[in-house]
Amino acid sequence: MKTYRIAVIGGDGIGPEVTREGLKVLRKVAEMEGFGVELTEYPFGAEHYLKTGEGLPAGFLTEVRQYDAVLLGAIGDPRIEVGMLERAIISGLRFGLDLFVNLRPVKLYAESLCPLKGKKVGDIDAIVVRENTEDVYAGIGGIFKKGTPDEVAVAEMIFTRRGTERVIRYAFELARARGRKRVTMVDKANAIRAMDLWTRTFEEVGREYPALAQDHWYVDAASMQMVKSPESFDVVVTSNMFGDIITDLGGMITGGLGIAASGNIHPGRTSMFEPVHGSAPKFAGKNIANPIGAISSAALMFETLGLKKEAAAIDAAVLKAVKDNQVTSDIGGKLGTREAGDYIAANIR
Ligand code: NAD
Ligand code: IPM
Ligand code: MN
């Protein structure tokens, strides 16, 4: 029996609660399909940091490569300096494992979940390919003369030809492999001239894919268009920060952050899967957080590991839960986190 080894970091706030439901569904799929899953939980997050002073321990990046994948809940706690653990753990894994693709599907499951007028299922079915290892997230910069009238704060936006090209190529290959029709580049090359690198690289790589329609939007106009005509987007490729922002928007036009899923991927290497949302501290411990983002992230994990049928089984069970309104209150249901997870697990076929 094949056994998949998975490292699990529940993390902070609602992270552990939604991860538990992701694992519940994952175990159910494994049981039905006759393969094994060996889960190893790691305590990283705010509590662990407060106890030990440790964010992401040195050595974990080596240890983690022996796993087939990592599942993460969320990181972020108001007791800790802003963003410190998010950078240490989330960015630490993305950069440390060179997970250069952040794959974020934006898919409408049911008309009732869409806050936009007149949009139907099928109108919103895009995949955002967010660059995940460069941009302002590289952490180049800092604060000089902090707290004085002469204070200077600098954050550099870093784009490399190699980093830009590999993620653009991934987007084209993904579009081709999935039978998608169009690839859209989103940048801000009008105001940020360094982003001309994105526009040019997209055009150059795009010439190798003449069968795919190709277009370009500035990120401000793309945000407008996502609300006005989300059906214009199919596969979208963009830089790290813009990808972060437009995928919260993408989440919101499909039912909210509670259902948005993501994969941090380096093809062929240990990759990390997590909901798009954060630790939502005010919801923590109340059994009200929507587990669908975490559950669908487990589906993305299966898909990336080549287990397509298993991923599809999870997607179908999520769709059924939405249609039956057996979901949490953020998307109009009455169930708690656990009960919503139970319903999806029970409907794996
Ligand atoms: P957030 O995503 O945690 O929450 C924003 C809002 O989205 C919530 O108030 C809630 O209304 C809704 N929401 C989020 N997840 C939900 C769920 N599962 N079910 C129902 N509703 C849900 O964003 P924030 O409030 O800006 O950040 C809180 C903390 O999380 C911060 O510390 C932030 O840095 C961190 N964060 C972590 C990640 C991550 O771990 N990948 C992502 C984003 C933010
Ligand atoms: C996300 C989050 C992270 C990001 C933060 C917590 C560092 O918002 O995964 O979308 O900005 O990438
Ligand atoms: Mn985000």
Side-chain angles (χ1 to χ4, degrees):
M1 184 175 73
K2 166 88 182 151
T3 293
Y4 291 88
R5 304 187 64 218
I6 296 160
V8 179
I9 304 170
D12 301 324
I14 61 171
E17 295 168 58
V18 297
T19 302
R20 206 170 297 132
E21 303 314 310
L23 297 179
K24 185 186 283 175
V25 171
L26 179 153
R27 281 200 204 90
K28 181 70 188 290
V29 171
E31 186 186 300
M32 291 188 67
E33 292 299 324
F35 60 82
V37 279
E38 187 185 309
L39 305 170
T40 307
E41 302 218 19
Y42 288 88
F44 311 140
E47 281 306 330
H48 183 74
Y49 175 75
L50 290 170
K51 261 187 252 155
T52 64
E54 191 174 71
L56 193 70
F60 184 71
L61 287 175
T62 312
E63 184 180 334
V64 76
R65 289 172 209 266
Q66 58 173 315
Y67 293 103
D68 292 295
V70 183
L71 276 181
L72 185 138
I75 301 293
D77 184 298
R79 293 171 296 174
I80 313 281
E81 181 197 317
V82 171
M84 199 256 279
L85 285 179
E86 290 89 321
R87 291 194 302 279
I89 299 172
I90 300 171
S91 302
L93 285 165
R94 290 175 183 169
F95 282 75
L97 297 174
D98 196 30
L99 307 175
F100 67 92
V101 172
N102 195 324
L103 195 68
R104 296 187 157 186
V106 177
K107 185 178 164 74
L108 184 62
Y109 280 111
E111 225 171 295
S112 59
L113 294 185
C114 187
L116 308 175
K117 260 184 263 171
K119 298 300 170 192
K120 294 183 199 54
V121 169
D123 284 347
I124 310 184
D125 185 10
I127 306 173
V128 177
V129 177
R130 168 190 176 188
E131 202 288 323
N132 214 26
T133 52
E134 301 194 341
D135 201 345
V136 281
Y137 286 80
I140 296 183
I143 300 181
F144 178 50
K145 298 189 178 178
K146 188 168 180 176
T148 76
D150 296 326
E151 180 160 355
V152 180
V154 176
E156 297 281 6
M157 223 174 198
I158 304 295
F159 305 117
T160 68
R161 169 71 199 209
R162 194 193 294 275
T164 305
E165 184 171 334
R166 67 179 177 175
V167 77
I168 289 174
R169 194 171 291 286
Y170 180 95
F172 277 108
E173 288 294 326
L174 178 86
R176 183 146 81 182
R178 304 234 181 137
R180 296 282 181 150
K181 301 281 179 280
R182 173 180 298 276
V183 181
T184 299
M185 161 93 257
V186 171
D187 66 30
K188 187 68 189 172
N190 53 346
I192 304 166
R193 281 314 284 146
M195 290 203 100
D196 179 53
L197 175 64
W198 280 85
T199 318
R200 267 185 292 121
T201 307
F202 182 74
E203 281 169 9
E204 279 172 38
V205 175
R207 274 183 226 124
E208 297 171 35
Y209 301 85
L212 290 164
Q214 300 168 29
D215 59 1
H216 173 275
W217 289 86
Y218 296 128
V219 65
D220 46 354
S223 306
M224 176 281 298
Q225 188 71 356
M226 276 177 73
V227 172
K228 180 171 167 248
S229 303
E231 59 278 9
S232 13
F233 297 109
D234 192 347
V235 172
V236 175
V237 59
T238 192
S239 57
N240 202 342
M241 184 168 55
F242 297 156
D244 176 43
I245 298 167
I246 67 170
T247 53
D248 265 34
L249 177 55
M252 219 46 234
I253 60 171
T254 51
L257 276 186
I259 67 173
S262 84
N264 302 269
I265 298 168
H266 186 126
R269 296 201 198 162
T270 304
S271 295
M272 190 255 283
F273 300 84
E274 54 170 342
V276 170
H277 66 72
S279 57
K282 64 179 185 205
F283 288 3
K286 297 187 174 149
N287 195 43
I288 55 178
N290 193 334
I292 291 181
I295 291 170
S296 295
S297 298
L300 269 180
M301 180 194 79
F302 278 140
E303 188 176 310
T304 307
L305 291 173
L307 301 169
K308 309 257 186 264
K309 198 173 62 168
E310 290 74 3
I314 297 180
D315 287 343
V318 167
L319 183 60
K320 178 163 169 54
V322 169
K323 284 197 171 140
D324 297 348
N325 203 30
Q326 297 299 311
V327 290
T328 46
S329 59
D330 55 308
I331 53 172
K334 294 199 176 80
L335 299 187
T337 308
R338 262 188 307 271
E339 295 69 29
D342 286 342
Y343 192 82
I344 293 170
N347 282 289
I348 296 291
R349 301 279 179 263

